[in-house]
Amino acid sequence: MDGSYSRKRTAEAQQEGEHSAKRLNVTVGMETLDCPICYNPLEPPIFQCSVGHFICSSCRGKQLDKKCPSCCIKTSFKRYFGMEHVVQSATVPCSNAKYGCAVKVAYYHKEEHEKACPNTPCFCPESGCGFAGTTMALLDHLTNQHKCPSTTLPDSAFSADSGTVNLCLQPGLHLLRCGRSVTSYFFLFSMASEPFGHAISVVCVQPNVTKPKSCNMKYECSTIGYCEISSCQIRSSSLSDGLPTGYDLILPKGKVSDDRNGIRLRTTIIQPLSFSLVTSCLQGKGLTPTLQEQPFAARGIPDDSDSDPDDE
């Protein structure tokens, strides 16, 4: 009895190995796994007409005359369990495999996965440079290849809802790293010398759009008694189309002191609070939560209007 059972298990294991080998070697044209009507990837439930033409559940619901769109025969659509098994078994690699993603997903989940894939590439904004890579790879590329200056936002900024740093900006790009605890994005400041003055913009470099972050920038020149403050939402971008157009802060010509070391800018990055955290905090105070952004002062950010960046 034991010998018979052992031989049976050996045969089953051999068959499983053969099935695995077949699974690895089979190739299918992707159009076979798409609905022939809407061309979207097929996913359960899948239906077929009496002749055998398959159709997705969405398109089936639109056939009010009960006719098959492929053969025009009046029919009753029934579940196509065989095709459902095929599409569930068909796994494909992520398009970002060359950037380090090792995930394989069902074909009909491919687009959904890639919308949130952390290995989606970001692109170098420098003219004539075709580099593309993960967020951290791009950060290293800009630092080492293009010698872009950088500043690090402390990790403590991400345990609270905001963090403040002083930046010394020169015309060109300046990187604001997010500390060791955050590797999915970084901030890129760009300063251009325009006829009307210095134009500064900021973008959050990351492959996927998330909750918007905010930025409070302050420039102060004690020499001529000039102060400029700007508050803005930080746009997210993979930089596939280059640097975003538009500016977040403009320092007019004649209002900036001549500083060879760059323009000193006091910058506060404000992290978005989760709605559950906002709800908890406000309910504890007997208030009704809203989805609107709160003013800086209401969110516990110190008023630094009397402080001098040079004191840092």
Side-chain angles (χ1 to χ4, degrees), residues 192-248:
S193 296
E194 301 288 355
F196 52 79
H198 295 280
I200 300 170
S201 63
V202 57
V203 61
C204 180
V205 181
Q206 56 184 4
N208 307 300
V209 176
T210 58
K211 291 182 180 179
K213 304 166 185 64
S214 300
C215 180
N216 185 22
M217 292 182 285
K218 177 182 178 181
Y219 172 78
E220 190 169 19
C221 180
S222 57
T223 305
I224 61 175
Y226 175 76
C227 180
E228 185 74 40
I229 297 176
S230 174
S231 299
C232 63
Q233 280 199 335
I234 304 176
R235 296 153 292 181
S236 297
S237 176
S238 66
L239 304 180
S240 57
D241 297 325
L243 290 171
T245 58
Y247 303 117
D248 299 306

Side-chain angles (χ1 to χ4, degrees), residues 42-285:
L42 288 165
E43 61 179 301
I46 302 171
F47 298 87
Q48 65 176 334
C49 75
S50 56
V51 177
H53 299 118
F54 52 82
I55 189 173
C56 72
S57 59
S58 177
C59 290
R60 180 232 185 186
K62 299 175 183 177
Q63 308 308 313
L64 301 179
D65 56 1
K66 303 301 181 183
K67 287 185 178 180
C68 172
S70 297
C71 61
C72 296
I73 295 177
K74 194 167 185 178
T75 183
S76 59
F77 292 99
K78 297 182 180 180
R79 286 284 294 274
Y80 194 175
F81 293 102
M83 193 62 182
E84 289 180 10
H85 179 71
V86 171
V87 299
Q88 288 174 325
S89 301
T91 59
V92 295
C94 174
S95 297
N96 301 316
K98 63 180 179 180
Y99 300 112
C101 183
V103 173
K104 288 189 175 182
V105 296
Y107 173 63
Y108 55 85
H109 282 158
K110 183 174 184 287
E111 183 177 354
E112 179 183 357
H113 163 76
E114 291 178 356
K115 286 181 179 178
C117 178
N119 294 95
T120 301
C122 294
F123 300 84
C124 181
E126 292 285 2
S127 178
C129 182
F131 178 86
T134 62
T135 307
M136 290 299 101
L138 176 60
L139 181 64
D140 292 339
H141 170 79
L142 290 172
T143 302
N144 299 322
Q145 297 298 318
H146 298 292
K147 309 302 180 183
C148 295
S150 66
T151 305
T152 301
L153 195 64
D155 282 328
S156 59
F158 299 93
S159 60
D161 65 346
S162 66
T164 300
V165 292
N166 284 326
L167 304 177
C168 268
L169 301 184
Q170 299 276 3
L173 303 178
H174 191 105
L175 312 175
L176 180 57
R177 299 172 177 263
C178 299
R180 297 179 180 178
S181 62
V182 179
T183 59
S184 57
Y185 60 84
F186 64 92
F187 301 100
L188 183 62
F189 286 77
S190 175
M191 188 172 77
S193 296
E194 301 288 355
F196 52 79
H198 295 280
I200 300 170
S201 63
V202 57
V203 61
C204 180
V205 181
Q206 56 184 4
N208 307 300
V209 176
T210 58
K211 291 182 180 179
K213 304 166 185 64
S214 300
C215 180
N216 185 22
M217 292 182 285
K218 177 182 178 181
Y219 172 78
E220 190 169 19
C221 180
S222 57
T223 305
I224 61 175
Y226 175 76
C227 180
E228 185 74 40
I229 297 176
S230 174
S231 299
C232 63
Q233 280 199 335
I234 304 176
R235 296 153 292 181
S236 297
S237 176
S238 66
L239 304 180
S240 57
D241 297 325
L243 290 171
T245 58
Y247 303 117
D248 299 306
L249 175 64
I250 294 178
L251 302 176
K253 200 168 186 179
K255 298 294 185 180
V256 178
S257 62
D258 184 14
D259 190 349
R260 295 181 180 179
N261 295 323
I263 292 177
R264 300 203 65 184
L265 195 68
R266 187 174 178 85
T267 304
T268 299
I269 300 294
I270 304 167
Q271 303 295 325
L273 289 175
S274 66
F275 182 65
S276 59
L277 179 57
V278 174
T279 301
S280 176
C281 293
L282 294 181
Q283 286 179 342
K285 298 180 180 179

